[in-house]
């Protein structure tokens, strides 16, 4: 966080908005930026869609603080369906583009997932990762299987669109592939 804050500090405007650089001008000096740059701030079009209420570590106990989302995935075959992984643990799902969210892992001890992906052809097949665990659902999140893996700290999961049986997992130990 501190590295990010230091790198972005020079672009923060007095009103709290952030100057977005959209060209190849000298980015080390904000005063040299072209006037075509846009501001991202109070007048932006971003809207919070949730999940705003999360649960602590796969229980029915609501988390008493903000909901930091560590990973999100939109189902490529149905953009109404999104999955999100909050800091507090669990995996949340919406089927209405974020209007309502449901924790799909209340009965599972799933801590914070750091990556999630949805099969490109079947929105019911979901993969998630955390530390050394591979988490998978084949029924839209109603049930989950959790497998211990040889890797550590999952950063990203990618599924090959033309062949969903090919999956890549980026981890602290390198890149893994399953066919």
């Amino acid at each position: 966080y501190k590295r990010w804050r230091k790198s972005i500090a020079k672009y923060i405007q007095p009103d709290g908005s952030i100057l977005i650089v959209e060209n190849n001008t000298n980015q080390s000096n904000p005063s040299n930026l072209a006037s075509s740059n846009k501001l991202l701030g109070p007048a932006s079009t971003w809207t919070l869609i949730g999940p705003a209420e999360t649960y602590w570590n796969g229980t029915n106990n609501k988390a008493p603080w903000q909901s930091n989302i560590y990973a999100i995935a939109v189902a490529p075959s149905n953009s109404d369906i999104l999955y999100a992984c909050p800091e507090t643990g669990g995996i949340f799902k919406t089927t209405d583009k974020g209007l309502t969210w449901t924790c799909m892992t209340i009965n599972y001890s799933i801590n914070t997932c750091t990556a999630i992906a949805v099969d490109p052809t079947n929105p019911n097949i979901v993969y998630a990762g955390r530390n050394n665990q591979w988490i998978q659902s084949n029924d839209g999140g109603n049930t989950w299987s959790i497998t211990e893996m040889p890797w550590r700290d999952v950063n990203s999961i990618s599924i090959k669109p033309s062949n969903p049986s090919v999956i890549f997992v980026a981890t602290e130990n390198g890149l893994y592939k399953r066919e």
Side-chain angles (χ1 to χ4, degrees):
Y1 167 78
K2 287 184 178 184
R3 281 181 278 180
W4 171 83
R5 187 173 176 168
K6 182 179 178 183
S7 69
I8 198 74
K10 60 190 166 196
Y11 301 107
I12 297 175
Q13 304 302 297
D15 67 355
S17 63
I18 299 173
L19 182 67
I20 301 299
V21 179
E22 292 184 341
N23 55 31
N24 293 326
T25 60
N26 180 357
Q27 296 181 17
S28 63
N29 184 353
S31 62
N32 290 344
L33 297 175
S35 60
S36 64
N37 293 325
K38 296 181 181 176
L39 290 176
L40 174 63
S44 76
T45 58
W46 288 94
T47 303
L48 174 66
I49 64 168
E53 262 187 6
T54 60
Y55 301 89
W56 180 244
N57 196 17
T59 67
N60 282 317
N61 300 321
K62 290 184 181 174
W65 56 84
Q66 81 274 5
S67 179
N68 298 328
I69 304 299
Y70 284 3
I72 184 169
V74 178
S77 61
N78 183 347
S79 62
D80 291 350
I81 299 173
L82 291 84
Y83 292 87
C85 300
E87 173 186 27
T88 55
I91 298 172
F92 282 70
K93 178 182 180 181
T94 179
T95 58
D96 57 13
K97 297 183 181 182
L99 294 176
T100 58
W101 291 85
T102 303
C103 182
M104 302 305 292
T105 54
I106 288 291
N107 298 318
Y108 295 85
S109 181
I110 296 178
N111 292 324
T112 306
C113 292
T114 51
I116 192 162
V118 182
D119 184 283
T121 59
N122 185 346
N124 290 318
I125 300 175
V126 184
Y127 307 103
R130 66 166 304 275
N131 292 337
N132 66 331
Q133 291 181 334
W134 179 250
I135 303 162
Q136 180 174 340
S137 177
N138 293 321
D139 58 9
N142 293 316
T143 60
W144 298 88
S145 64
I146 303 171
T147 307
E148 299 293 319
M149 301 302 286
W151 56 56
R152 183 170 152 74
D153 294 335
V154 177
N155 296 310
S156 180
I157 300 169
S158 293
I159 304 169
K160 188 173 182 181
S162 62
N163 183 358
S165 65
V166 178
I167 302 171
F168 297 91
V169 179
T171 74
E172 185 178 282
N173 300 99
L175 184 63
Y176 289 81
K177 177 183 176 183
R178 181 182 92 176
E179 291 189 67

